[in-house]
Amino acid sequence: SLTAIASERVTPGYGGGMSSAKAQLESDTKVLAWEAGRKYGIRVNSISTGPLASRAGMAIRKGGAQGERSWIEHCIDYNMANAPLPKPLYADDVGRAALCLCSELNAAVTGTVLFCDNGMHAMGLSLDSSNFKEYIDKQTGEPWDDWKPDVYLNNL
C-alpha cells in the first residue's frame, strides 16, 4: 500500500481523515505481514511517499481558486527546500521502490514502511523557516552556498 508521513506526523492541510487512514494502513501492513507470512509465506510492506504532482494530489485546492497553486505544489517546494535530496519526486521513483521491495534482494524484509521521499522523513526541522534566516545567512561553503532556500527555490 501507499502511505504518507502524515500517518505519524502532523501535516497541516492533509486532513479529512486521510492521516488516520494512512496510520491504519501502516498498522495493517504489520498485521498482514505476520498473518500472510505465517500462512502463505508472503511478504507485506508499504511505501510512504513524499509529495507527488499526481492528478489526485494536484486536485487538492484547500479553498484556493482555479489557477492558484495547489496544496501539493506548496508541499513539493517545501520538500525540495528541506529534504537531503533536493529534487522532485516522480511516480517512477515510487515504482522503483516497489520493485526493490518485490525483489529477492529483500527476501527477508516484511512488515516495514519504506520511505520514498528524498529523505524528508529524516529531518527534525526545516531550514526554510524565517526563524532560521539569520543562522542560514551566516553559513558559507558546501553545501550551503548553492543550497540556501531562497537561492534554491528561485532557481527552480
Side-chain angles (χ1 to χ4, degrees):
S1 63
L2 294 177
T3 184
I5 195 69
S7 67
E8 57 186 71
R9 298 206 177 99
V10 175
T11 307
Y14 194 76
M18 287 301 291
S19 297
S20 55
K22 296 297 186 179
Q24 184 61 48
L25 279 173
E26 291 184 16
S27 178
D28 287 348
T29 296
K30 294 168 180 65
V31 172
L32 287 170
W34 184 80
E35 291 176 352
R38 286 297 180 116
K39 190 168 186 176
Y40 305 108
I42 295 173
R43 297 179 288 125
V44 179
N45 297 292
S46 293
I47 299 172
S48 180
T49 72
L52 285 165
S54 65
R55 192 168 58 176
M58 296 295 282
I60 303 172
R61 291 274 168 216
K62 298 294 178 201
Q66 191 69 356
E68 289 183 12
R69 287 170 35 92
S70 67
W71 178 78
I72 202 75
E73 288 172 299
H74 290 284
C75 291
I76 290 167
D77 286 350
Y78 177 84
N79 276 29
M80 288 178 61
N82 291 290
L85 299 175
K87 61 182 184 158
L89 184 67
Y90 297 104
D92 285 353
D93 296 319
V94 179
R96 283 189 292 275
L99 179 62
C100 175
L101 283 173
C102 293
S103 162
E104 285 303 312
L105 295 172
N106 285 299
V109 176
T110 192
T112 195
V113 176
L114 175 66
F115 288 95
C116 182
D117 63 358
N118 291 322
M120 191 61 201
H121 71 280
M123 298 303 295
L125 56 88
S126 65
L127 291 176
D128 70 337
S129 169
S130 60
N131 296 324
F132 282 95
K133 182 166 179 29
E134 181 183 343
Y135 172 79
I136 291 171
D137 286 346
K138 292 179 182 177
Q139 305 307 309
T140 59
E142 287 295 325
W144 297 98
D145 290 341
D146 296 325
W147 175 83
K148 293 182 181 178
D150 293 341
V151 173
Y152 187 80
L153 290 175
N154 287 334
N155 290 329
L156 292 179

